[in-house]
Amino acid sequence: MEKKPHFIRREFLPREVPSISLALLLAAVLLLNALLYLYLDKFYISLGRVETDRGLCPFGHFKFGAVKNCSPWLSCETINREVRKLRCVGEGAVKKVFLSEWKEKKVVLSQLTNSELKEDFLHGLKMLKALQSKHVVQLLGYCEQQFTILTEYHPLGSLRGLNETLHIPKYKGMNTWHRRLMLAIDYVSVIRYLHSSPLGTLVMCDSNDLDKVLSQYLLTSDFHILVNDLDALPLVNRSAGRLVKCGHRELQGEFVAPEQRWPYGEDVPFEDDLMPPYDEKTDIWKIPDVSNFFLGHVEGSDIVRLHLFDIHAACKKKDPAERPSAQEVLDTYRKVLTLLIQEAAMPGTREML
């Protein structure tokens, strides 16, 4: 009779241990999930931090760096008196760009170089003023009479230098599938913003090849993306039957969307008047190619591409109407990021359960 308690303990002990282990495992999973969601929440909040900071300033004002107070956009007089050019850092068809200094801060001064393209320059200024947000480089001042624009300086430059930047020892820790996917999310966020901007549906026309696309965007020091060049942003207005054409020359190559190419064959010479217009879905066609550049060839990038395969295939539909919206692409990118972070945080958890 005295041995019965001993047998009872031996009979129930094997059942109690797995129960405790399972409870601990479930608690660990719940804790990891909580930490993951806190991280993702912090991540999405961080995407909006620039917008929040700028939102404290009324239209026509700016602030940057550690400065807390808003300042009005600099006038012609102030730019001429207080801004000092340091050196030329770039030149395109429309403007020349100078690294400059204002009150011991680095800024960027852009000036028109071709008087025949002054309408493009003024259109870019108009877009820059109207679209100030977390997605757009910050305007500091302008002078229409002298065709001059002053913007915030970002030392990492355009996205064309992304791979070189990621090989600098200081930034090698950023060269991961996770960070690269976040850059792709930033890029699609900009496209989504342009397609639903305060001015209406805008098309990013300076995008006839990958190098041209990358030159339109800046990489910030905290590894986010800002659109910088807004000279070619025509407006789509379907209700008014208004579509767009990106320039007046024939576009060729697989990078541009099928509807942007001459549809009448090689036997018919190109004529701008005969070229059919199109809509913002040309931007969607280019997303997979730009994102492929962002993802690069780091460990894990092929897994990301596999998860994005279906949405990228939809982006490449020949019929523009069958392509997803920028919002749908953005939603998919964010879901993939969340899924892959979960899998990285809890490898093998599903098999253990």
Side-chain angles (χ1 to χ4, degrees):
M1 295 294 294
E2 293 179 358
K3 292 184 178 180
K4 285 184 180 180
H6 178 68
F7 284 110
I8 290 172
R9 285 196 299 271
R10 292 185 62 184
E11 181 181 352
F12 283 95
L13 187 59
R15 295 182 184 178
E16 290 173 355
V17 171
S19 299
I20 294 172
S21 299
L22 182 59
L24 290 173
L25 178 59
L26 288 173
V29 169
L30 290 172
L31 178 60
L32 283 172
N33 268 307
L35 292 172
L36 173 64
Y37 289 126
L38 284 173
Y39 169 80
L40 290 174
D41 187 55
K42 182 179 179 182
F43 163 65
Y44 288 125
I45 289 174
S46 73
L47 288 180
R49 75 203 183 291
V50 180
E51 185 174 43
T52 302
D53 288 345
R54 293 190 191 173
L56 297 175
C57 292
F59 179 79
H61 293 70
F62 71 91
K63 71 184 186 71
F64 67 105
V67 177
K68 294 183 178 181
N69 297 326
C70 298
S71 301
W73 287 336
L74 305 187
S75 64
C76 296
E77 180 184 357
T78 304
I79 291 173
N80 291 333
R81 185 180 65 251
E82 299 182 5
V83 176
R84 181 171 65 94
K85 291 180 184 176
L86 299 178
R87 66 177 185 273
C88 180
V89 292
E91 183 173 3
V94 178
K95 54 186 177 287
K96 185 177 287 189
V97 180
F98 297 90
L99 175 62
S100 304
E101 193 174 60
W102 174 68
K103 291 187 176 180
E104 299 182 348
K105 298 182 180 70
K106 296 290 191 302
V107 293
V108 174
L109 187 72
S110 302
Q111 291 184 319
L112 177 69
T113 55
N114 186 345
S115 59
E116 295 180 359
L117 298 175
K118 63 182 181 180
E119 293 303 320
D120 292 46
F121 184 91
L122 292 175
H123 176 74
L125 173 58
K126 176 185 176 182
M127 295 293 104
L128 193 55
K129 290 193 290 184
L131 298 176
Q132 286 293 289
S133 72
K134 68 176 182 178
H135 303 292
V136 180
V137 68
Q138 187 168 204
L139 178 64
L140 308 180
Y142 63 92
C143 181
E144 285 193 38
Q145 298 93 316
Q146 298 174 8
F147 298 98
T148 298
I149 299 173
L150 194 70
T151 53
E152 190 172 5
Y153 171 63
H154 294 279
L156 295 183
S158 81
L159 289 176
R160 285 189 294 189
L162 174 63
N163 288 324
E164 289 75 12
T165 297
L166 288 171
H167 282 94
I168 297 173
K170 180 180 177 180
Y171 297 111
K172 279 188 175 181
M174 297 286 195
N175 197 16
T176 64
W177 70 262
H178 170 245
R179 179 60 64 172
R180 283 176 171 270
L181 178 54
M182 287 169 64
L183 288 175
I185 288 174
D186 265 9
Y187 168 71
V188 177
S189 296
V190 174
I191 299 299
R192 187 275 311 269
Y193 175 67
L194 295 178
H195 289 184
S196 57
S197 82
L199 301 177
T201 302
L202 299 168
V203 181
M204 192 66 176
C205 267
D206 263 344
S207 57
N208 298 334
D209 57 62
L210 178 61
D211 191 65
K212 186 65 174 175
V213 170
L214 299 176
S215 71
Q216 308 302 301
Y217 296 85
L218 296 172
L219 181 64
T220 67
S221 296
D222 59 349
F223 270 69
H224 286 274
I225 290 174
L226 300 174
V227 61
N228 180 52
D229 196 328
L230 304 174
D231 295 345
L233 278 182
L235 179 68
V236 169
N237 188 337
R238 285 193 186 82
S239 60
R242 180 180 176 182
L243 300 178
V244 305
K245 287 192 287 186
C246 292
H248 304 288
R249 299 178 182 179
E250 182 177 2
L251 301 179
Q252 296 177 327
E254 292 299 314
F255 188 83
V256 297
E259 64 271 23
Q260 292 184 281
R261 303 172 209 153
W262 181 242
Y264 303 117
E266 296 180 358
D267 296 334
V268 181
F270 177 82
E271 289 187 39
D272 183 44
D273 291 340
L274 298 179
M275 181 67 197
Y278 34 83
D279 62 19
E280 77 280 2
K281 290 300 183 72
T282 58
D283 289 333
I284 304 300
W285 171 273
K286 298 161 189 173
I287 286 176
D289 298 296
V290 180
S291 289
N292 187 55
F293 167 80
F294 285 130
L295 292 176
H297 300 286
V298 298
E299 183 180 355
S301 61
D302 287 340
I303 299 298
V304 179
R305 287 185 178 91
L306 183 63
H307 280 81
L308 297 177
F309 180 84
D310 288 342
I311 192 67
H312 283 173
C315 291
K316 291 293 187 179
K317 294 280 189 180
K318 188 173 183 180
D319 182 356
E322 295 181 4
R323 295 173 204 154
S325 66
Q327 182 65 62
E328 290 171 322
V329 178
L330 181 60
D331 290 343
T332 301
Y333 274 39
R334 286 176 171 170
K335 287 177 183 176
V336 168
L337 175 63
T338 301
L339 174 65
L340 291 177
I341 290 177
Q342 284 178 325
E343 292 181 352
M346 296 176 288
T349 299
R350 191 175 300 142
E351 289 80 0
M352 291 172 66
L353 292 173

